[in-house]
Amino acid sequence: RVQMLVLALALLGPAAAEELRWAPALEAAEGLAVELWGAGLPGDLPELEPECRSLLAAFAEGSAALTDCLGRRARPVRLCQGCHGHYRHLLALYGSIARAVGNSSESHNCAKSILTSDRLQIVVTLSEFFNETWEAANCANCLKNNSEGLSNSTEEFLDLFNKSLTCFEHNLQGQTVYLSPNNYTEVCKNCNETYTKLNDLYNNLQRMNRQGGESGHSAHLCIDVEDAMNITRKLWSRTFNCSLPCSDTVPVIAVSSFILFLPIVFYLSSFLHSKQKKRILILPKRIQSNASLVNIQEKYS
C-alpha cells in the first residue's frame, strides 16, 4: 500500500510531492494508488515474504542488541567476555538470511531481496562492520574453538586479574588516593605474589598465542586480556611505584661484566705480548756485545 502511494506521487509529479501537506494532493495520490493496485502492478513491486520479513526483523533486533553490548562494555574493555553470545546469534541470523528462500516460486529468495536489492546493502554493511570489529578485537583468541565460551587459559587469567585488583583494594583501605609513592609499600609487598603470577601467565599466553594457542589463531591476545593487563601494569608501576625483581639479573650482570672487561684484557695482553717481543729482540744484541768484548780482550792479552 505504501509503495503504491509513493509510485502514485511520482506519477503525479514533484508538485504533488511538495504539496503533500495539503489534503487535495494526498487524496489524489491515494485515489491513484487504489487504481494502480487494482491494475495488478504489485507483481512488479514485490513485497518481502513473511519468512524474509521475519528474518530481517530478527537481524535488526540482533544488531541492536550487539551494538548495545559493545557500547556498554567499551571501557573497561569487556567485549569478548560479554558479547560473544550476541555475536554468534547475529552470525546465525545472517546465515539464515543468506540461505532462506521464499515460499513462492515466482518470488526472489531472501538473500537477493534483503542483501543485494539496493546500492546501500544495509544488512551486508552492518554484518561487515560487526565482523571487522570482532576480528580487530581478536576475540577468537579468548574463546574456545567453537566460540561457545571463554577458553580455560582466559578464565584463569581473569581470575588472577580479579584477585590482583582485590588485593590492591584491600591494601588501600583506610588510605587516601593522594598518598606519596612511599606509602604504597604495603601494596607492593602484599600483592607481589599475585601480581607476579598474573604477569607470568600473561607472558605465557603471549608465547602460546604465537604458536597458535587453544583457539588456533596466531595473532595478538584478545582485547579483553590486553586491556586488563595494561590496567594492572599501570596501577603497579605508575600508581603504586612497585617493581618486580628481574629473574635474569645474574646473567645480565655476568655478561655485562665480561663485555666491560674485554678492553682491559685486550690491552693487557697486547702490552705483555709487545714486551716479550722486545725482550727477544734485545737478547741477541747483548750476546753479540759480550762476544766482541771477549775478542778484544784476547787481542790485547
Side-chain angles (χ1 to χ4, degrees):
R1 179 84 176 182
V2 174
Q3 289 177 343
M4 289 292 97
L5 181 58
V6 172
L7 182 59
L9 288 173
L11 292 175
L12 286 173
E18 292 176 359
E19 297 175 359
L20 185 61
R21 61 182 180 272
W22 287 294
L26 181 59
E27 290 178 1
E30 288 180 348
L32 185 56
V34 172
E35 293 179 7
L36 291 172
W37 187 277
L41 283 178
D44 297 328
L45 299 171
E47 289 279 344
L48 281 177
E49 296 198 13
E51 179 188 2
C52 300
R53 186 176 298 279
S54 175
L55 288 172
L56 181 59
F59 183 86
E61 292 175 1
S63 299
L66 181 56
T67 303
D68 179 73
C69 183
L70 295 175
R72 291 179 182 275
R73 289 165 175 79
R75 194 75 255 162
V77 183
R78 299 293 183 268
L79 307 183
C80 307
Q81 302 172 56
C83 303
H84 64 88
H86 293 292
Y87 179 71
R88 287 179 60 233
H89 178 62
L90 196 67
L91 283 181
L93 289 173
Y94 186 85
S96 299
I97 292 174
R99 292 190 304 268
V101 178
N103 294 327
S104 174
S105 59
E106 298 179 355
S107 65
H108 299 90
N109 60 46
C110 294
K112 188 172 183 179
S113 300
I114 297 175
L115 303 181
T116 61
S117 60
D118 58 80
R119 179 174 59 84
L120 285 180
Q121 300 181 7
I122 295 296
V123 173
V124 175
T125 302
L126 285 174
S127 179
E128 289 176 351
F129 165 75
F130 290 125
N131 288 334
E132 290 172 1
T133 302
W134 201 255
E135 291 174 5
N138 291 306
C139 287
N141 292 319
C142 276
L143 306 172
K144 297 176 182 177
N145 286 333
N146 53 9
S147 299
E148 290 182 355
L150 297 176
S151 63
N152 295 333
S153 57
T154 304
E155 289 183 346
E156 182 183 0
F157 174 85
L158 294 175
D159 181 61
L160 275 175
F161 169 69
N162 292 328
K163 287 181 179 178
S164 298
L165 294 185
T166 302
C167 183
F168 296 162
E169 183 180 3
H170 176 74
N171 286 274
L172 284 174
Q173 286 181 354
Q175 301 181 15
T176 60
V177 178
Y178 302 100
L179 289 176
S180 63
N182 294 330
N183 291 325
Y184 292 127
T185 53
E186 290 297 318
V187 176
C188 301
K189 181 177 67 175
N190 297 333
C191 302
N192 181 73
E193 182 179 356
T194 306
Y195 177 78
T196 302
K197 289 181 179 179
L198 179 70
N199 192 64
D200 291 343
L201 178 58
Y202 182 79
N203 293 333
N204 290 335
L205 289 176
Q206 282 186 317
R207 283 192 291 270
M208 286 173 54
N209 207 54
R210 295 188 189 103
Q211 301 170 359
E214 296 180 30
S215 63
H217 297 264
S218 180
H220 293 288
L221 294 174
C222 75
I223 190 64
D224 292 28
V225 172
E226 288 182 345
D227 186 69
M229 195 68 227
N230 288 338
I231 290 173
T232 313
R233 283 176 172 172
K234 286 179 182 178
L235 287 173
W236 182 260
S237 59
R238 297 183 185 179
T239 305
F240 305 138
N241 200 29
C242 303
S243 60
L244 283 177
C246 183
S247 58
D248 298 330
T249 302
V250 175
V252 169
I253 292 176
V255 172
S256 302
S257 302
F258 175 74
I259 295 174
L260 206 68
F261 280 104
L262 272 180
I264 300 174
V265 173
F266 172 76
Y267 285 115
L268 184 61
S269 61
S270 299
F271 174 76
L272 295 175
H273 184 65
S274 62
K275 187 99 174 176
Q276 187 177 6
K277 285 186 70 176
K278 186 177 180 182
R279 190 176 299 169
I280 292 171
L281 290 172
I282 293 174
L283 187 60
K285 292 182 179 180
R286 289 181 180 176
I287 295 173
Q288 185 179 0
S289 176
N290 291 336
S292 300
L293 183 60
V294 171
N295 292 334
I296 293 171
Q297 288 177 352
E298 289 178 352
K299 184 177 180 182
Y300 290 97
S301 61

